[in-house]
Structures are given as C-alpha cells and as structure tokens.
C-alpha cells in the first residue's frame, strides 16, 4: 500500500479484451493506485499511458521494479500457473482470471503457494458477482422455488476475435459448471457431455453438458457458433420457476398457484399449476467485474465481510470441466 496515499498499489498482467476491463475498473476505484501494465505486445504501452500506469513487456521486470500490493493476471490459460506462481511467490495478492489453471495438479500447487505466502488468492468466476446471481441465490435460500429439480444454462455465441488457446468447455462453460454447483451448494455425482468442432482449428467449440446431482440436474449449452450472444439461466423447482438474463440482469419469477390442491382433485390441480403467478424481480444493474475487483481490494484491506470466489471452488469447477472435456473427446 502506498504510504503517501493509503491506496492499494495494483498492476495488471495482460492487455487483451478482459485485461482492458480490469484496467478500466481499477482506474475508477478511488482506493486503488494503478501502477503498472505488462504485456508482450509493445503497442499496449498506449493503453498503459491512457491510465497513467508504467508499461513493461516483461511481467517479471514489472513485479521486481514496482513491487505492487496486488496483481490481476489476465493471460491465456496455459500461462496461468506460471504467472500466478511468480506473483504469489513474491507475496503479492493475486486475482487470476478463470480457469484457475490447466490442470487440477497445477491448481492445488497454486492454492498451497497462496497459503504458504499468506496472500489473498481468488479466481475470476465473474458471474458469482452478477447481481442476477446474488438475487437467484437469495430466492433459492428463501425456499420460494421449493426443491430445485433442474438448472439450465445457455452460454452461446461470441467467437473471440483471437482464436482461443483452449476449448469452449474450459474457456466458457466453466462459468456455469462452477455456478450450478454454487447455487445447489454441492458437487454432481456424475457428469456427461458431448462436444464438436466446427470453426476452431484444433479444439471443440460447441458442447452440451449434463450434470447429475441426484435429486437435481444441471444442463449447459455452450458454444462460440451461435450468431447471437446469449447468456441465460433457468431454474425449476417444486414451487416455481425462474429465468434470468446474465447480460441484461432481468429476472422473471413464476410461482405455482397450488394451495390446498390435494383436496381438489387432479384436474383442478393441473389448472392451478398452469395458472402461475408471474412477477418481475427487480435487480439493480451493476457491472459484475467492478463488484469483483472492489471486493478483492476490500478483502486485501481486511474487510472479511466481502465475498470472494474461493480458489478451492475454482479448482473443483476446473476438475468438472476437465472431466466433461474428456467425456466429450471420448465420444
């Protein structure tokens, strides 16, 4: 922390699309001093200059020179373990974009490293901070939906401008793989998947995943092929149904109208069940990344009330994603 300003000194590694969003959000946080940006592309110096940060083409040189309090790592997945190890070995708090690593073994090593160096370590499963998801979690906790029977997520469209270094399951579906377990507060007993490759040169770019939780199921459709970007979630329970849009943060709730149906006969039960009470749930629109980074900085500064995605949960999501990928590749 800067002694002169009492601000948390933060640097960003990686100036791609997501890295630019990290820079913008840190710049807007009054409790943060954005000190550096590292990227192998020299043209990213203009971006660093825009935000008043020093620029480096070597992230290790930046860490050695600036000694920041915290770092956001926004680099391709194959580099996650290497870069995060360098950061946390220096005692620097780490925000690592998802997925946590390329393997569960790497993830476990990073978790141990964070513990050994006593640093805050979180992974960017950004939807956990989406006000829509916060409201969904509240609705489930309140018992409004009764016993949850299924959660269906659609995360399709939006092929990245630069061909991803990984497949659609590890890069995209991992969001919902982790999110469904977060909402149900348990891990699936079994996982099934199907994957196909259409435009990606060497990895699957379309997948369907079914997770068996025993008394509930989770289904995910994820691809880069759909010509329109769709990010939705639908939850069905014994007491109702809710559907939401991650992008617009709009939420609609349908509650069963079945009071005393057991004493009225089956035909009346069917009629009442089909006559659901609908209401639009108000969600205050906020940028999830802004909430995530603000929580990260607050946690660094001792605010234990702030929620952060636990690195162990991120590891579990990766484990499920890898199992799903292996299933899809095996046919």
């Amino acid at each position: 922390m800067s002694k002169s300003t009492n601000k948390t000194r933060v640097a960003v590694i990686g100036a791609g699309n997501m890295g630019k969003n990290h820079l913008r959000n840190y710049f807007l946080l009054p409790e943060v001093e954005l000190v550096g940006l590292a990227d192998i592309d020299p043209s990213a110096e203009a971006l660093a200059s825009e935000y008043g940060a020093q620029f480096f083409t070597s992230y290790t040189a930046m860490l050695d020179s600036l000694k920041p309090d915290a770092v956001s790592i926004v680099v391709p997945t194959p580099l996650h373990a290497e870069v995060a190890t360098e950061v946390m070995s220096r005692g620097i708090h780490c925000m690592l974009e998802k997925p946590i690593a390329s393997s569960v073994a790497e993830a476990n090593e990073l978790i141990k490293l964070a513990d050994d160096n006593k640093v805050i370590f979180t992974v960017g499963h950004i939807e956990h901070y989406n006000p829509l998801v916060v409201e969904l979690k509240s609705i489930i906790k309140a018992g409004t939906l009764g016993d949850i029977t299924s959660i269906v997520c659609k995360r399709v469209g939006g092929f990245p401008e630069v061909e991803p270094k990984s497949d659609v399951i590890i890069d995209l579906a991992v969001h919902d793989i982790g999110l469904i377990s977060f909402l149900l507060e348990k891990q699936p007993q079994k996982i099934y998947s199907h994957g196909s490759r259409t435009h990606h040169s060497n990895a699957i770019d379309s997948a369907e995943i079914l997770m068996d939780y025993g008394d509930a199921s989770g289904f995910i459709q994820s691809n880069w092929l759909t010509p329109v970007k769709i990010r939705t979630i639908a939850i069905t329970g014994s007491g109702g149904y809710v559907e939401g849009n991650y992008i617009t943060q709009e939420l609609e709730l349908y509650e069963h109208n079945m009071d005393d149906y057991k004493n009225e006969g089956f035909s009346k039960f069917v009629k009442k069940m089909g006559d659901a009470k609908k209401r639009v749930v108000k969600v205050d629109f906020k940028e999830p990344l802004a909430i995530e980074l603000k929580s990260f900085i607050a946690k660094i500064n001792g605010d234990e009330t702030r929620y952060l995605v636990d690195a162990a949960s991120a590891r579990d999501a990766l484990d499920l994603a890898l199992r799903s990928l292996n299933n899809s590749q095996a046919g």
Side-chain angles (χ1 to χ4, degrees):
M1 182 175 292
S2 171
K3 292 181 180 179
S4 59
T5 63
N6 290 323
K7 292 186 177 184
T8 304
R9 301 175 67 255
V10 177
V12 175
I13 301 173
N17 286 336
M18 199 62 185
K20 291 174 183 176
N21 288 326
H22 278 247
L23 286 165
R24 172 177 55 83
N25 276 287
Y26 279 132
F27 183 76
L28 293 173
L29 287 176
E31 61 268 40
V32 165
E33 180 184 355
L34 186 58
V35 296
L37 168 66
D39 194 277
I40 58 174
D41 184 355
S43 67
E45 184 171 6
L47 185 63
S49 178
E50 179 182 343
Y51 290 109
Q54 293 187 53
F55 178 72
F56 297 79
T57 54
S58 164
Y59 76 90
T60 54
M62 179 184 73
L63 298 176
D64 291 337
S65 174
L66 300 182
K67 297 179 172 56
D69 303 311
V71 165
S72 269
I73 300 173
V74 199
V75 299
T77 300
L79 299 175
H80 281 194
E82 172 193 323
V83 179
T85 296
E86 286 285 348
V87 168
M88 293 191 291
S89 294
R90 290 167 164 80
I92 299 170
H93 302 295
C94 180
M95 159 65 73
L96 176 62
E97 268 302 330
K98 60 80 201 160
I100 185 172
S102 296
S103 70
V104 173
E106 287 181 348
N108 284 330
E109 290 173 3
L110 292 178
I111 291 169
K112 184 178 185 303
L113 183 64
D115 186 58
D116 290 345
N117 286 277
K118 295 180 173 54
V119 297
I120 302 297
F121 175 38
T122 188
V123 182
H125 283 265
I126 192 171
E127 298 292 16
H128 285 237
Y129 305 89
N130 193 317
L132 175 87
V133 172
V134 175
E135 187 61 39
L136 285 173
K137 186 78 167 178
S138 177
I139 289 171
I140 292 172
K141 284 278 193 182
T144 305
L145 299 177
D147 298 325
I148 304 303
T149 59
S150 70
I151 299 179
V152 178
C153 297
K154 178 178 283 191
R155 189 174 296 270
V156 299
F159 217 121
E161 292 181 9
V162 178
E163 187 176 49
K165 302 294 184 183
S166 62
D167 59 274
V168 75
I169 293 178
I170 302 300
D171 189 87
L172 200 63
V174 70
H175 277 297
D176 300 299
I177 288 173
L179 192 63
I180 292 174
S181 293
F182 169 69
L183 291 172
L184 293 176
E185 297 186 349
K186 56 184 174 181
Q187 295 296 304
Q189 299 171 4
K190 297 178 182 178
I191 187 165
Y192 311 89
S193 63
H194 169 267
S196 58
R197 180 172 66 85
T198 303
H199 296 306
H200 200 299
S201 60
N202 54 29
I204 64 169
D205 50 22
S206 179
E208 298 78 39
I209 301 164
L210 175 64
M211 298 189 291
D212 179 0
Y213 288 87
D215 56 354
S217 65
F219 180 77
I220 301 164
Q221 181 188 17
S222 187
N223 70 52
W224 286 312
L225 308 181
T226 305
V228 59
K229 188 175 181 178
I230 301 171
R231 303 287 188 268
T232 59
I233 182 170
I235 305 175
T236 301
S238 60
Y241 168 82
V242 64
E243 59 183 19
N245 186 312
Y246 290 119
I247 299 173
T248 63
Q249 297 176 19
E250 295 172 320
L251 195 60
E252 291 184 337
L253 174 65
Y254 300 80
E255 294 182 76
H256 287 167
N257 182 24
M258 299 191 303
D259 295 339
D260 299 323
Y261 73 87
K262 292 181 180 179
N263 299 321
E264 297 182 357
F266 189 77
S267 60
K268 288 188 176 181
F269 152 68
V270 172
K271 183 178 184 301
K272 282 195 170 185
M273 187 175 182
D275 186 23
K277 295 177 288 185
K278 175 187 173 181
R279 62 185 171 97
V280 175
V281 180
K282 180 175 173 52
V283 177
D284 292 330
F285 188 93
K286 294 179 183 177
E287 183 180 358
L289 182 60
I291 299 171
E292 180 181 42
L293 297 185
K294 190 173 183 66
S295 296
F296 176 50
I297 299 302
K299 198 85 166 182
I300 289 171
N301 292 325
D303 186 350
E304 295 300 325
T305 65
R306 292 284 185 160
Y307 169 76
L308 279 183
V309 171
D310 180 73
S313 297
R315 175 202 57 205
D316 293 342
L318 173 66
D319 182 34
L320 290 173
L322 289 170
R323 286 163 55 190
S324 175
L325 177 62
N326 289 337
N327 288 346
S328 68
Q329 290 175 336

